[in-house]
Amino acid sequence: MENTFDAIVIGSGISGGWAAKELCEKGMKTLVLERGRNIEHLRDYPTMNKPLWDFKYRGAITKEQADENPFISRAAGYDATTSHFFVKDADHPYVQEKPFDWIRGYQVGGKSLIWGRACARWCETDFTAPKRYGYGIEWPIGYTDIAPWYSHVERFIGVCGSKEGIETMPDGEFLPAYELNCVEQHLRDTLATKFNRHYVSGRWAHVTEPQEIHIKQGRGQCQNRNQCMRGCPYGGYFSSVTSTLPWAEETGNLTIRPFSVVHSIIYDEEKQKAIGVRIVDTNTKEEIEYYAKIIFANASALNTNLILLNSISKRFPNGLGNDNGLLGKYICFHSYRAGMSGEFEGYEDKYYKVSKPAECIIPNYRNVKEQDTDFVGGYVIFSGAYREKLNENGITETIGENFKEQISAPGKWGAYMYMQGETIPKESNHVRLSPDQKDQWGIPLLITAVDYDDNDDRMVKDFVKEGKAMLEAAGAKNIQINENRQPPGLDIHEMGGVRMGKDPKTSLLNEWNQMHLCKNVFVTDGACMTSTGNQSPSILYMALTARAVNYAVEEVRKGNL
């Protein structure tokens, strides 16, 4: 009985935290399994208030640290101030059949402590485009199905933004947006008049003006320190640790078990349903089983695929619910392969007051009503303007008061753009289990076989052309273009493998994120995605999770699960 609960949630990150909150609020005794260590707000943020000059190398990592972690050290936001929230390469090996940088954060809160925090909604065409243009299957839901759940999530986590009436980036329940600085305003005006495109303050998970619901969570106003990935002492941005997990704990229905590597989901042949989860204690290597009526898989996309593939039984010899052989296939991601920056003359009498932790967005303008390019899918552009901190060309003194004044004078203005592009879900892009290699807990290693294609190349080419044209039209000089061709994975937006769909022959999950062939198992992290869209996906995972929990609990109470 000690190991029996109403619900089990695998993973404590962005979607797992939401599953826990919603389940506990609805009276379900819930066990959250986390493979990493426990993290508590404030207590476990060792660098949250440490100034850069107190780090040995001003926040930079050593060559030894980079050599020992060639994958994770390339991740956005990884440095000496944040490395304690990232998984070292040696701590969880995997097999790269094709180059793939798998970025992970194993602790209570998962990657919600180190995410980018962009929270724009998908629009209706994001759901319909794959089927309309023939590069994917039909989503079993549309925007109207998920819109009220977006609102439910936005009000709780705190999302700042401005209501703009943009078709490809619907408005939501927003806190006040971050202001555009003078060059960003200039870019906005240029894009509106010369390209009929939008340039707006991004929708970001930051509490810019706390509401009663945020105060009840113990969260305060964002202080614009832009040190979010260290852990925020103010709770200014959303994470499971500051928000959903403490909220769930207040109900008295939550149990969190850290140091618990999930081995598999247990399927009962007689009952024809899942009855629990088998874990390996990371410290003792002891195998333990926990039992529940419903199970939510939220281990992050690739680990959820790994767990389901390893959940074998007489009924499901190839992985839980995998009669169609598609489990682990159609893995997709976002393309971040190109960016650019340019210098702006003038505006030297202007500066900005804060270190803004949010960027601006140019919403997708490609292939919306019809296919208007030589590629399918769309892309958004993240952008911002800044003023260089040092006017290197103006320093003539070497000592004294004049020298201090000169090195305090800021330099030129600049602006940047980088793409976040949709990729095509393909059966050839997949993950599978190694037949002969296992990790330190006796679980098969995951093999990644994921790559770009010609469609990605054409999209990058279009972004480079259009981005350069927009910067030039705004008067940018010395434009530098970077086409990095970084491996998939560094976007940290891996998706798919357990995709939603209408037809059990071509998908693993139905419209409620419920497994077609194992009705009491739900998948609501990135593994459930049918396609990638072009907007950042995390808030969609949260909305899907809240919606699925609401359905699952109703089904339990009806006696259907």
Side-chain angles (χ1 to χ4, degrees):
M1 291 300 295
E2 291 179 357
N3 287 16
T4 301
F5 298 81
D6 295 321
I8 295 174
V9 178
I10 303 171
S12 62
I14 281 174
S15 62
W18 262 94
K21 169 194 173 292
E22 297 291 302
L23 287 162
C24 289
E25 277 188 317
K26 295 179 187 301
M28 304 290 279
K29 294 293 184 182
T30 302
L31 172 67
V32 173
L33 297 169
E34 168 56 51
R35 69 181 295 151
R37 63 194 172 104
N38 189 39
I39 292 290
E40 291 186 14
H41 181 54
L42 296 178
R43 187 195 73 178
D44 296 308
Y45 302 160
T47 64
M48 61 182 178
N49 290 320
K50 188 175 180 178
L52 276 180
W53 53 82
D54 280 347
F55 289 86
K56 188 172 183 180
Y57 301 108
R58 304 297 188 264
I61 62 173
T62 65
K63 183 178 186 302
E64 180 183 16
Q65 192 174 357
D67 290 344
E68 290 176 351
N69 299 278
F71 306 137
I72 198 72
S73 60
R74 293 201 293 268
Y78 179 90
D79 60 22
T81 73
T82 61
S83 59
H84 48 282
F85 289 144
F86 290 83
V87 174
K88 295 179 181 178
D89 290 355
D91 285 350
H92 188 194
Y94 63 104
V95 181
Q96 298 185 64
E97 188 168 274
K98 297 178 181 178
F100 187 93
D101 290 342
W102 189 7
I103 310 303
R104 292 153 291 174
Y106 292 161
Q107 61 263 324
V108 169
K111 287 182 290 188
S112 75
L113 288 160
I114 52 174
W115 68 308
R117 308 172 305 283
C119 280
R121 294 187 180 198
W122 277 31
C123 68
E124 181 62 26
T125 58
D126 288 318
F127 290 97
T128 62
K131 180 68 162 47
R132 283 191 294 124
Y133 299 140
Y135 63 94
I137 65 169
E138 185 177 5
W139 274 82
I141 62 171
Y143 178 71
T144 54
D145 297 303
I146 201 67
W149 297 101
Y150 268 132
S151 295
H152 177 67
V153 169
E154 287 163 344
R155 283 191 288 263
F156 189 82
I157 69 173
V159 175
C160 62
S162 55
K163 296 197 174 187
E164 304 282 351
I166 301 170
E167 180 182 5
T168 57
M169 194 170 70
D171 292 328
E173 314 296 329
F174 296 145
L175 302 174
Y178 287 97
E179 295 179 13
L180 275 60
N181 63 40
C182 58
V183 173
E184 290 167 350
Q185 292 173 25
H186 173 62
L187 285 164
R188 177 196 62 195
D189 297 342
T190 301
L191 266 62
T193 57
K194 296 187 178 181
F195 296 88
N196 194 29
R197 294 173 186 167
H198 300 278
Y199 188 102
V200 302
S201 183
R203 287 88 194 261
W204 243 254
H206 284 264
V207 177
T208 54
E209 187 177 279
Q211 304 300 299
E212 183 180 358
I213 188 64
H214 309 122
I215 295 169
K216 285 182 177 179
Q217 294 173 47
R219 297 169 61 199
Q221 183 170 339
C222 172
Q223 300 296 302
N224 301 310
R225 305 186 316 152
N226 203 15
Q227 297 175 353
C228 313
M229 290 188 185
R230 299 186 187 191
C232 178
Y234 306 95
Y237 77 91
F238 167 78
S239 76
S240 298
V241 174
T242 60
S243 182
T244 45
L245 291 176
W247 193 268
E249 197 163 19
E250 284 292 315
T251 67
N253 293 323
L254 178 68
T255 301
I256 299 177
R257 192 188 196 283
F259 302 113
S260 303
V261 177
V262 172
H263 176 280
S264 55
I265 293 172
I266 306 165
Y267 183 80
D268 188 291
E269 305 284 349
E270 293 183 4
K271 295 180 179 179
Q272 297 184 3
K273 66 178 182 179
I275 59 170
V277 175
R278 182 177 295 110
I279 70 132
V280 180
D281 186 287
T282 63
N283 297 315
T284 67
K285 307 293 176 71
E286 177 187 7
E287 284 197 7
I288 306 171
E289 294 182 354
Y290 294 94
Y291 306 97
K293 298 172 186 175
I294 53 176
I295 297 165
F296 271 72
N298 300 93
S300 84
L302 297 193
N303 268 323
T304 289
N305 275 275
L306 189 160
I307 291 165
L308 293 174
L309 285 165
N310 201 43
S311 300
I312 58 175
S313 60
K314 184 177 179 182
R315 170 65 183 86
F316 295 113
N318 300 312
L320 187 63
N322 192 27
D323 282 7
N324 57 23
L326 296 181
L327 181 60
K329 297 180 179 178
Y330 295 98
I331 299 294
C332 41
F333 52 95
H334 274 147
S335 172
Y336 279 73
R337 273 177 40 193
M340 63 187 68
S341 62
E343 298 174 355
F344 282 83
E345 296 177 352
Y347 305 100
E348 292 181 3
D349 60 336
K350 295 180 175 64
Y351 203 67
Y352 38 81
K353 295 180 180 179
V354 299
S355 183
K356 186 167 60 175
E359 297 177 290
C360 298
I361 295 181
I362 303 171
N364 178 46
Y365 49 82
R366 287 304 197 206
N367 302 324
V368 179
K369 299 290 187 183
E370 59 184 7
Q371 187 174 342
D372 50 26
T373 65
D374 62 351
F375 58 86
V376 294
Y379 58 85
V380 300
I381 300 173
F382 291 105
S383 179
Y386 54 89
R387 194 165 182 189
E388 294 173 356
K389 293 183 179 179
L390 180 63
N391 181 10
E392 294 180 351
N393 295 326
I395 298 176
T396 57
E397 304 287 337
T398 57
I399 194 170
E401 180 181 354
N402 290 338
F403 174 65
K404 292 179 181 179
E405 290 181 358
Q406 288 181 359
I407 65 171
S408 299
K412 291 184 176 181
W413 281 88
Y416 65 88
M417 294 181 178
Y418 65 90
M419 68 176 293
Q420 178 176 281
E422 184 172 359
T423 62
I424 299 173
K426 300 186 293 292
E427 187 171 1
S428 59
N429 276 349
H430 72 279
V431 295
R432 65 186 190 275
L433 300 185
S434 170
D436 53 9
Q437 298 184 68
K438 295 186 177 182
D439 65 19
Q440 54 267 56
W441 300 285
I443 298 172
L445 297 188
L446 193 70
I447 299 173
T448 59
V450 182
D451 203 358
Y452 296 107
D453 59 25
D454 292 341
N455 193 74
D456 301 319
D457 295 338
R458 291 191 290 271
M459 185 182 291
V460 169
K461 184 178 179 181
D462 186 76
F463 161 72
V464 168
K465 178 175 72 71
E466 293 298 313
K468 186 170 184 286
M470 287 186 279
L471 285 177
E472 286 178 339
K477 309 293 184 183
N478 191 27
I479 297 172
Q480 304 293 315
I481 297 171
N482 176 29
E483 296 184 54
N484 55 52
R485 201 171 176 82
Q486 65 184 31
L490 280 179
D491 52 282
I492 325 182
H493 288 180
E494 59 270 12
M495 304 175 226
V498 198
R499 64 183 181 174
M500 298 171 70
K502 293 185 174 181
D503 187 351
K505 294 179 181 178
T506 58
S507 61
L508 280 298
L509 308 172
N510 66 12
E511 70 269 32
W512 303 106
N513 295 80
Q514 179 184 33
M515 295 202 82
H516 290 303
L517 302 181
C518 191
K519 299 293 187 181
N520 64 332
V521 174
F522 295 79
V523 178
T524 62
D525 62 11
C528 78
M529 298 289 279
T530 309
S531 61
T532 73
N534 49 72
Q535 295 289 0
S536 297
S538 295
I539 193 170
L540 179 54
Y541 304 161
M542 295 188 248
L544 288 169
T545 300
R547 181 176 180 269
V549 168
N550 185 66
Y551 172 80
V553 173
E554 287 181 359
E555 289 294 286
V556 168
R557 289 173 178 166
K558 291 175 184 176
N560 295 335
L561 294 178

